[in-house]
C-alpha cells in the first residue's frame, strides 16, 4: 500500500491490531487493509522465580502491554503523520495456559503461575487417568487440581479461571471468553461440539468438595471468526494511556501463542504443521483422525477453528543458547573486540555447520526449567564433553542447537513412527530460525522432513492474532479460516524450503541416542540441586 493509502486507512479505522505477550517480549503489530504490518512496538520483559514459582506481576503485565501499544502508536505518528484513534478490530494473544484465578471481586487470588512451572505432576497423572486423556502439567486444569490436592487456602474463593490472554481480554472488554485453541489447554475440548467436554466436566466435579462446580468458573469458548466483545471506555484508557484510542472496537476471541503461531504460518489445515522455536519449542500437527491411545508426551489441543491438533511441547529451547552467546559477548568486550548480538548469533550459528554430523560426541541439556517430556520437574543446564569427544567451537554450537530440539524430537518420533501421522508441509518460526537456514536445516534433520520458513515468520504471533481479528471482520459468509488464509493472506507469499540432508539426519539420530542414554546425568544434576 502507498503511504497516503495507509494514512487514509488509519484515519478511517480500517486497520487491525494484534498484541501478543510472549515469554520475553510483548509485541504490538498494526496491519493495513492488505494485512501487511504497517507499524509495530515491543517491550522486553522476563519472568521472575519467586517462592519456587515462575511468574509475572500484574503491574509488569500492564506496563508491558501499554508500552508496546505506545511505541506502536508513536511509530504510526512518525511514519504517517497522524494519530491512531480508530481501529477496525483488535486481538490479544499470550503464552499459553498457566493459572490465573480470581475471586468474585475480580481480585487475583495467587500470583500468575506460567506454563513454565513443572509443579503439577501429581494432578497431571491423576487427571490423565481419570479422563483417559493426556493432561499436561502446564494446563490450567492441572494447576487447579494441584491447588486442590495441596489444600491451598484460595481454592474455595475462586470465581473465575483463565489464562493470560483471557485475563487481558476480560479487563478490556468485560467478557470472560477464550478462543477454542487456548481453551483446549484450560480443559479438554469435545472435538464434535467444540466446547468443553461435558463428560469430563462431570468426572471432574465428582472429585470436588468446593462451593463451585468447574463449569461455574470456566470461561466461554468461542471459535475463530466469532465476535468476542468490544473495547470498553475503561479498556480503551487502560490500553492507550494517552487517551486517544476510541472505545467500541470489536475484539476477536483471545488465543494462545500456539494458535497464533499456526495462523502466522498458515498451518491450520489437516496434514499441515508448524514448529515454534524460542524460549520453549513446540510442534503443532493438525490431525486427520484421533490418536490410537493416550501418550503423556503428546497434548491434544485444537486450532483456533476447533480442528484436532497433536502438540509436542518442550519447555526449553533457546534460553541456554542465549546464555552461552552472552558469555561470548562478554569475552569479545573484554578483549576489546565488541560485536553486536545479532552478528554474534549469526557467526556462531554458521560456525556450527562446520561441526561433525553427530556433534563429535559432545552433549548438553539446556534445561533452564523442568522438562515434562523427559520427566524433569526442575532444571539445571548441563554441558558434557567426554575425554574422547571432539571439543571445538563448531561442535560446541552444534551440540547446543541440536539439544534445543532434543525433547521435541522424542515426542515427534511418537507421532511419525508409532502413529504414522502424515504431513504435507511443516513450517518453522521463532528465534531459532532467524539465522538463515541453520536452525531450519537442523529441524529438517530432526524430523527427517522438509521445513519451510516464510518471509513473514519473523512477524510471529502478534501478526497471527491480528490476522484472526482481520478474519473476524473481513471473512466472506461461511468462509473457513483455512481458506481465508490460503486465498487472502498467503497466496503467492515467498518462502524457503529445505529438504533434510541425509548426513545430518543420520547424525541427529546418533545424537538423540546419546541424548536419551545421558538423561540420568541430567537427573543427577536436578536431584543434587547444585
Amino acid at each position: 500500500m502507498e503511504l497516503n493509502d495507509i494514512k487514509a486507512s488509519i484515519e478511517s479505522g480500517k486497520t487491525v491490531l494484534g498484541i501478543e505477550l510472549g515469554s520475553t517480549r510483548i509485541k504490538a503489530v498494526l496491519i493495513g487493509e492488505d494485512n501487511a504490518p504497517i507499524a509495530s512496538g515491543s517491550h522486553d520483559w522476563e519472568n521472575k522465580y519467586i517462592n519456587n514459582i515462575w511468574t509475572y506481576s500484574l503491574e509488569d503485565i500492564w506496563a508491558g502491554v501499554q508500552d508496546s501499544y505506545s511505541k506502536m502508536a508513536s511509530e504510526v505518528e512518525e511514519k504517517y503523520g497522524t494519530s491512531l484513534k480508530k481501529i477496525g478490530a483488535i486481538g490479544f494473544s499470550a503464552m499459553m495456559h498457566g493459572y490465573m484465578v480470581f475471586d468474585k471481586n475480580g481480585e487475583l487470588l495467587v500470583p500468575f503461575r506460567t506454563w513454565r512451572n513443572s509443579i503439577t505432576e501429581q494432578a497431571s497423572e491423576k487427571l490423565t487417568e481419570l479422563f483417559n486423556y493426556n493432561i499436561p502439567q502446564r494446563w490450567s486444569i492441572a494447576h487447579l487440581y494441584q491447588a486442590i490436592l495441596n489444600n491451598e487456602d484460595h481454592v474455595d474463593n475462586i470465581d473465575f479461571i483463565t489464562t493470560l490472554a483471557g485475563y487481558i481480554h476480560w479487563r478490556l472488554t468485560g467478557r470472560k471468553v477464550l478462543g477454542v485453541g487456548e481453551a483446549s489447554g484450560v480443559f479438554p475440548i469435545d472435538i464434535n461440539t467444540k466446547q468443553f467436554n461435558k463428560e469430563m466436566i462431570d468426572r471432574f466435579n465428582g472429585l470436588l468438595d468446593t462451593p463451585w462446580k468447574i463449569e461455574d468458573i470456566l470461561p466461554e469458548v468461542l471459535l475463530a471468526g466469532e465476535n468476542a466483545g468490544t473495547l470498553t471506555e475503561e479498556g480503551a484508557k487502560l490500553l492507550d494511556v494517552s487517551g486517544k484510542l476510541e472505545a467500541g472496537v470489536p475484539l476477536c476471541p483471545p488465543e494462545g501463542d500456539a494458535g497464533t503461531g499456526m495462523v502466522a504460518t498458515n498451518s491450520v489445515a489437516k496434514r499441515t504443521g508448524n514448529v515454534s522455536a524460542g524460549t520453549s519449542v513446540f510442534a503443532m500437527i493438525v490431525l486427520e483422525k484421533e490418536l490410537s491411545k493416550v501418550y503423556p508426551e503428546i497434548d491434544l489441543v485444537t486450532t483456533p477453528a476447533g480442528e484436532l491438533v497433536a502438540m509436542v511441547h518442550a519447555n526449553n529451547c533457546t534460553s541456554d543458547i542465549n546464555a552461552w552467546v552472552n558469555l561470548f559477548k562478554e569475552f569479545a568486550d573484554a578483549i576489546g573486540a565488541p560485536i553486536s548480538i545479532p552478528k554474534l548469533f549469526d557467526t556462531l550459528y554458521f560456525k556450527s555447520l562446520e561441526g561433525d554430523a553427530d556433534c563429535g560426541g559432545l552433549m548438553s541439556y539446556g534445561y533452564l526449567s523442568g522438562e515434562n517430556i523427559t520427566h524433569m520437574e526442575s532444571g539445571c543446564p548441563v554441558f558434557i564433553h567426554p575425554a574422547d569427544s571432539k571439543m571445538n567451537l563448531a561442535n560446541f554450537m552444534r551440540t547446543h542447537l541440536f539439544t534445543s530440539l532434543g525433547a521435541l524430537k522424542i515426542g515427534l518420533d511418537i507421532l511419525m513412527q508409532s502413529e504414522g501421522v502424515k504431513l504435507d508441509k511443516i513450517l518453522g518460526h521463532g528465534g531459532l530460525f532467524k539465522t538463515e537456514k541453520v536452525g531450519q536445516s537442523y529441524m529438517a534433520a530432526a524430523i527427517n522432513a522438509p521445513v519451510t520458513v516464510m518471509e513473514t515468520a519473523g512477524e510471529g504471533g502478534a501478526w497471527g492474532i491480528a490476522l484472526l481479528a482481520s478474519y473476524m471482520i473481513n471473512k466472506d459468509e461461511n468462509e473457513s479460516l483455512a481458506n481465508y488464509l490460503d486465498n487472502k493472506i498467503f497466496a503467492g507469499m515467498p518462502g524457503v524450503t529445505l529438504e533434510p540432508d541425509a548426513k545430518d539426519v543420520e547424525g541427529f539420530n546418533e545424537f538423540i541416542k546419546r541424548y536419551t542414554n545421558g538423561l540420568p546425568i541430567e537427573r543427577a544434576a536436578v536431584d543434587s540441586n547444585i
Side-chain angles (χ1 to χ4, degrees):
M1 293 176 65
E2 298 294 329
L3 191 67
N4 288 337
D5 293 332
I6 294 175
K7 182 177 180 180
S9 292
I10 294 168
E11 293 177 341
S12 61
K14 293 182 180 178
T15 59
V16 172
L17 173 65
I19 296 182
E20 180 161 281
L21 293 87
S23 300
T24 59
R25 186 174 64 158
I26 301 171
K27 186 173 182 180
V29 171
L30 190 72
I31 63 176
E33 293 180 71
D34 61 354
N35 293 298
I38 57 176
S40 66
S42 65
H43 173 89
D44 292 333
W45 69 338
E46 282 289 348
N47 53 193
K48 297 180 176 68
Y49 195 57
I50 301 173
N51 297 324
N52 298 317
I53 297 291
W54 290 105
T55 188
Y56 302 83
S57 70
L58 294 185
E59 293 77 14
D60 286 346
I61 290 168
W62 287 110
V65 169
Q66 291 163 352
D67 186 45
S68 62
Y69 180 90
S70 176
K71 288 175 178 174
M72 177 276 301
S74 295
E75 186 172 291
V76 168
E77 293 190 5
E78 292 167 7
K79 291 175 69 173
Y80 309 109
T82 190
S83 295
L84 186 61
K85 298 177 181 179
K86 301 177 182 179
I87 299 176
I90 300 176
F92 282 91
S93 173
M95 61 192 88
M96 68 192 86
H97 316 151
Y99 185 68
M100 297 189 84
V101 286
F102 301 85
D103 65 17
K104 63 182 179 181
N105 298 315
E107 296 296 321
L108 186 67
L109 289 169
V110 292
F112 171 35
R113 299 173 182 177
T114 79
W115 59 269
R116 198 170 197 172
N117 292 286
S118 299
I119 56 175
T120 65
E121 182 177 11
Q122 183 186 11
S124 173
E125 291 178 353
K126 286 181 177 292
L127 292 177
T128 296
E129 182 179 359
L130 178 71
F131 296 152
N132 192 31
Y133 192 96
N134 186 37
I135 305 296
Q137 288 199 48
R138 68 183 178 282
W139 279 22
S140 304
I141 192 62
H143 280 281
L144 174 61
Y145 190 47
Q146 191 65 55
I148 292 171
L149 293 174
N150 294 344
N151 295 312
E152 296 188 36
D153 293 338
H154 75 274
V155 169
D156 282 352
N157 296 320
I158 296 174
D159 183 69
F160 178 45
I161 182 171
T162 191
T163 65
L164 180 55
Y167 164 68
I168 298 290
H169 185 97
W170 170 41
R171 286 292 309 274
L172 296 180
T173 67
R175 293 281 304 276
K176 296 178 178 180
V177 303
L178 282 180
V180 64
E182 177 74 335
S184 65
V186 172
F187 194 92
I189 293 291
D190 183 329
I191 204 65
N192 297 310
T193 66
K194 303 190 189 308
Q195 296 294 313
F196 292 125
N197 189 296
K198 182 64 169 60
E199 181 182 345
M200 294 183 191
I201 282 177
D202 292 340
R203 291 184 192 178
F204 187 78
N205 281 334
L207 302 175
L208 300 179
D209 182 20
T210 57
W212 45 262
K213 298 298 184 184
I214 186 62
E215 63 267 29
D216 299 332
I217 66 172
L218 287 170
E220 180 185 356
V221 179
L222 298 177
L223 301 181
E226 293 187 293
N227 187 295
T230 56
L231 186 67
T232 63
E233 293 283 354
E234 180 185 10
K237 292 182 175 63
L238 185 58
L239 178 59
D240 180 11
V241 295
S242 75
K244 295 177 183 177
L245 180 61
E246 297 177 4
V249 182
L251 271 74
C252 71
E255 275 291 350
D257 52 0
T260 58
M262 300 180 80
V263 172
T265 54
N266 193 22
S267 306
V268 300
K270 292 177 181 178
R271 294 176 65 103
T272 67
N274 80 92
V275 174
S276 174
T279 303
S280 64
V281 58
F282 53 86
M284 310 285 291
I285 312 298
V286 188
L287 300 175
E288 297 179 277
K289 60 181 181 179
E290 295 191 14
L291 301 181
S292 64
K293 63 178 183 177
V294 175
Y295 296 95
E297 300 88 354
I298 309 295
D299 310 347
L300 292 176
V301 293
T302 78
T303 70
E307 298 290 349
L308 186 64
V309 174
M311 179 181 189
V312 181
H313 181 282
N315 286 349
N316 300 279
C317 186
T318 60
S319 292
D320 195 43
I321 296 174
N322 296 344
W324 284 108
V325 171
N326 285 331
L327 190 68
F328 284 115
K329 178 70 166 64
E330 283 188 41
F331 173 74
D333 291 343
I335 64 171
I339 183 173
S340 70
I341 286 291
K343 185 177 181 182
L344 183 55
F345 266 103
D346 285 348
T347 300
L348 292 170
Y349 274 42
F350 284 128
K351 185 67 178 178
S352 73
L353 296 174
E354 302 173 15
D356 294 306
D358 67 347
C359 303
L362 307 183
M363 181 53 60
S364 71
Y365 299 93
Y367 290 9
L368 194 67
S369 62
E371 190 55 76
N372 300 328
I373 290 178
T374 53
H375 312 293
M376 304 293 172
E377 68 281 356
S378 60
C380 179
V382 170
F383 170 65
I384 310 152
H385 56 106
D388 60 348
S389 62
K390 298 178 183 178
M391 177 65 173
N392 56 45
L393 181 59
N395 282 335
F396 177 83
M397 286 306 303
R398 191 178 181 94
T399 297
H400 288 294
L401 287 163
F402 270 31
T403 203
S404 71
L405 302 173
L408 180 77
K409 179 172 173 57
I410 291 172
L412 285 175
D413 280 351
I414 293 172
L415 286 178
M416 307 301 180
Q417 297 174 15
S418 300
E419 289 288 332
V421 170
K422 303 299 182 185
L423 278 173
D424 292 331
K425 63 176 181 177
I426 191 160
L427 295 101
H429 64 112
L432 186 71
F433 301 105
K434 283 185 178 179
T435 298
E436 184 180 5
K437 296 184 179 181
V438 179
Q440 185 180 2
S441 66
Y442 296 155
M443 187 70 237
I447 63 174
N448 194 20
V451 175
T452 299
V453 174
M454 305 185 79
E455 289 184 358
T456 54
E459 300 296 345
W463 185 57
I465 191 65
L467 293 181
L468 285 171
S470 174
Y471 172 66
M472 178 185 68
I473 62 172
N474 293 318
K475 68 181 186 303
D476 296 331
E477 187 176 359
N478 298 322
E479 184 177 24
S480 70
L481 176 61
N483 286 342
Y484 182 82
L485 295 176
D486 273 342
N487 300 327
K488 297 180 179 177
I489 307 298
F490 291 96
M493 190 173 287
V496 175
T497 300
L498 284 185
E499 298 287 336
D501 180 275
K503 182 182 289 187
D504 285 344
V505 171
E506 182 180 354
F508 208 112
N509 286 336
E510 287 300 315
F511 176 86
I512 206 67
K513 289 178 186 175
R514 296 202 317 273
Y515 179 98
T516 304
N517 292 337
L519 283 170
I521 301 169
E522 176 63 23
R523 176 79 265 167
V526 170
D527 290 344
S528 69
N529 197 29
I530 57 174

